[in-house]
Amino acid sequence: MGGDLSQTEVLVIGAGLSGAIACQRLARAGIGVTCLEQGEWNPRESYPGDKPDFELQALGPWNANPNIRRGKADYPILDDTSDIKPLLFNGVGGSTVMFSAHWMRFLPSDFFTYTLDGVGTDWPIDYHELEPYYLQTEADIGVSGLAGDPAYPDRPEYPMPPLPIQPWGEKVAEAHDRLGWHWWPGSNAINSRLHQGRRPCVQRSTCRAGCNEGAKGQADQSIWPSAIAAGAKLVTGARVARILTNPQGRAEGALFVDEFGVTRKACADIVVLAAHAIGTARLLLKSVDAAWPDGLANSSGVVGKNLMMHPMNRMVGFFDEPMSSWQGHWGQSIYSMEFAETRAEHDFARGAKWNLSPTGGPLNAALYPLDDPQPFGVDLHDRVDKWLGRSALWGMVAEDLPDSHNFLTLDSAHSDVDGDGLPRLHYETSENSKRMLSFMAKRARESFGAAGAYEVAEQTLAAEIGWHPLGTCRMGNDPRNSVVDKWNRCHDIPNLLIVDGSSFVTSSCVNPAATISAIAARAVDRLIHCRSEY
Amino acid sequence: MVDSVHRELILALAKEVLPGNDHQPAAIDVDISGEPLDRVLSSRPDLEGRLLDILERFAADESLTAAGFVATLDAQELRVLMTVFCGAYFLVREVRRAIAYTGQQALTLDRGGFGGEELAIKQMNLPKRYRKPPERVG
Ligand SMILES: Cc1cc2nc3c(=O)[nH]c(=O)nc-3n(C[C@H](O)[C@H](O)[C@H](O)COP(=O)(O)OP(=O)(O)OC[C@H]3O[C@@H](n4cnc5c(N)ncnc54)[C@H](O)[C@@H]3O)c2cc1C
Ligand code: SF4
């Protein structure tokens, strides 16, 4: 047990994806950096993937929903006012411990939704500004994939060749070829070769509960070892309760509760928030005082607003042939950007990204929440016979547009351990998303049909899959309607940065981790190079 | 704690929930109420209390058949019941053999290629399809 931590140059809050990237780069640049993380290291041996009861554990103590998992580091999130339930992980590596590792860059149009389509808001940065950071972080995380996708600008080869697209991927690729539709081998933060001392994937398909092999680029395994080797200090079991500011209006550190329950102070010249779109907005709203009655860095009133959750549909195609589809990386076998961009003939703006995956073991088959009611009796045996080893799953992720009616607040009727209100999500799926996903469901039936599926089952608006909360402290040039500037610095507090997914302006239809990494790397590089301005 | 009465109630319900088919055995024939149930509850101790509540309600209402009782469960209760029953059932080696499920295995990656190379080359040769945004001014 100790007193206050010694003063550091930079204090990072959260050791997830963005926090790891920030610490790695700061430490490599010789800048003193300490990271406070409320959770712990979860060693590879603790993951359930190589145990026979994997599927049971993945539904309970390794569930991605913190309200179900209820781990020691998890804080409750009130979600009965949200159409979609949040998924995240609190521990070293953050949500990447559980992520499916689909690694996708934003499309160039994603940064200009207002100019191009009259919806959402333009970003103050663009694809080309992020490009070098996409490249650098792909190498650090370890990404496998194939260059040459016509849905994207040209790019160099990935650090590793793509993983096998699997028999179901081949069937659907052939079908899309016949339909004249786009498909591409999945890009995944999963090793297809030995990469930086981490072994290749063994295709066990248990990625959603941590990778036992160290093949998945989860930040605790890919980034943190090199960050620590470069000198970054990581304090685990350190739950930050408040960001501290001084009378001059600058951040001066954080108050945290250590693993023994002792409240301590960590002081720094610069504070970087990397606590996830929910955790960061929550911390700012908790950090109220006379100077900041509505929450720190919230003169705009935008902290917590514009919550985006990436609504999705999932479709399961059933095939006659056995394909052992409980194996294979749980990341994407292939993806399709056929319907990713706005088209004049659609009755919705923007689009969806499709990703094709394996379908898990027998418990997943039995309990999977399709639109049909939960089967039991003979129907349940039939479902398992049809599903197990003979199916594939299209997940269709809708681009979610920012809307100030979708937001996070602190609900004072329910207190957290510090006596502050618990975070409450208010989120309603938009009509645009509903129309888009209804269109996508019809097209996915065509896709599976052309691939030879004899039946297709649907899960419309998968309420339990809020895997991408974003946008709660958005970036912008105008301090009246954004929280951070284009370098991720808070407009209100120049030495406070927010580098996680809360800074997203719009959500794209692709998975966010690649862009979160690139944005964090870019923000921190600017801090390193223009240190005196902060 | 699950006792012998609870185990009998589980078997009574299992007849309805997992009756078996031409190749999957019935849950009562592989006795999911014994060791498989204990394995589930040691993996998922969080389920035990809710399972016992459900079983005690089943025991209390003699007017309902097992099928009738399952129909009275709300979505969350049904989820608990199905997780325990199916969890136990699919842990049984005989059941896994019957459905040809070999478990989540560590395999060696095929280094021969990713599959679908020819088709990928066709895609690669198509015109770029992404929309080019305007140049940013200023
Ligand atoms: C099940 C699942 C599947 C996903 N699949 C994909 C995918 O395939 N592709 C993709 O691109 N994205 C995926 N994602 C999303 C991706 O993992 C996240 O977007 C990304 O990890 C977010 O990075 P972050 O740095 O913002 O937050 P995180 O990585 O979640 O890290 C935040 C960290 O901050 C810590 N923290 C929070 N509050 C405090 C506090 N008060 N004090 C101290 N520490 C604190 C947390 O404990 C946590 O460790 C998935 C997410 C989940 C949950
Ligand atoms: S499929 Fe590959 S990446 Fe996923 S858990 Fe297994 S080894 Fe790790």
Side-chain angles (χ1 to χ4, degrees), chain A residues 53 56 117 123 125 150-152 154 165 177 181 202 204 326-327 338 341 350 367 377 381 385, chain B residues 16-17 20-21 23-24 43-44 79 96 100 103-105 107 111 114 122-123 128-131 136:
Chain A
D53 64 349
L56 268 169
D117 298 322
W123 289 59
I125 58 175
Y152 277 93
D154 288 336
I165 67 170
D177 184 59
W181 288 3
V202 299
R204 196 188 269 122
W326 60 82
Q327 297 276 165
E338 178 63 29
E341 301 265 20
R350 309 298 297 160
L367 302 182
H381 293 293
D385 280 339
Chain B
E16 293 298 330
V17 173
N21 65 11
H23 62 286
Q24 296 184 41
S43 296
R44 296 289 310 276
R79 183 88 184 160
R96 289 185 171 213
Q104 306 303 131
Q105 290 188 330
L107 308 172
R111 294 290 167 81
F114 58 82
K122 273 174 86 177
Q123 284 282 330
K128 289 284 187 195
R129 56 183 305 134
Y130 68 89
R131 285 193 298 165
R136 196 179 289 284

Side-chain angles (χ1 to χ4, degrees), chain A residues 49 52-57 59-61 107-109 111-112 115-117 123-126 129 146-154 162-166 170 173-174 176-177 180-185 191-193 200-206 213 326-327 337-339 341-343 350 360-363 366-369 374-378 380-382 384-385 388, chain B residues 13-27 36 39-47 50 66-67 70-71 75 78-79 81-91 95-96 98-138:
Chain A
D53 64 349
F54 159 69
E55 289 194 287
L56 268 169
Q57 298 241 25
L59 291 171
L107 293 165
S109 74
F111 299 90
F112 291 91
T115 299
L116 289 173
D117 298 322
W123 289 59
I125 58 175
D126 63 23
E129 286 173 79
L146 183 71
D149 181 355
Y152 277 93
D154 288 336
L163 290 159
I165 67 170
Q166 307 292 0
E170 290 188 45
E174 277 165 25
H176 280 218
D177 184 59
W181 288 3
H182 175 262
W183 75 275
W184 199 249
N191 290 354
S192 62
R193 298 282 184 273
C201 174
V202 299
Q203 302 276 288
R204 196 188 269 122
S205 212
T206 56
E213 310 301 320
W326 60 82
Q327 297 276 165
M337 304 295 271
E338 178 63 29
F339 303 108
E341 301 265 20
T342 299
R343 291 191 193 178
R350 309 298 297 160
L363 199 56
L367 302 182
Y368 200 89
Q374 168 66 50
F376 65 90
V378 178
L380 185 132
H381 293 293
D382 286 351
V384 173
D385 280 339
L388 188 70
Chain B
L13 287 168
K15 271 189 202 155
E16 293 298 330
V17 173
L18 291 159
N21 65 11
D22 62 353
H23 62 286
Q24 296 184 41
R39 284 177 70 192
V40 169
L41 295 181
S42 89
S43 296
R44 296 289 310 276
D46 57 302
L47 294 174
R50 284 178 289 168
V70 173
L78 185 62
R79 183 88 184 160
L81 187 90
M82 298 305 288
T83 306
V84 174
F85 280 43
C86 297
Y89 181 71
F90 292 117
L91 279 174
V95 174
R96 289 185 171 213
I99 56 175
Y101 175 58
T102 46
Q104 306 303 131
Q105 290 188 330
L107 308 172
T108 305
L109 264 187
D110 181 0
R111 294 290 167 81
F114 58 82
E117 278 79 356
E118 294 305 317
L119 296 173
I121 290 168
K122 273 174 86 177
Q123 284 282 330
M124 213 179 262
N125 290 332
L126 294 173
K128 289 284 187 195
R129 56 183 305 134
Y130 68 89
R131 285 193 298 165
K132 289 201 179 58
E135 288 297 316
R136 196 179 289 284
V137 192

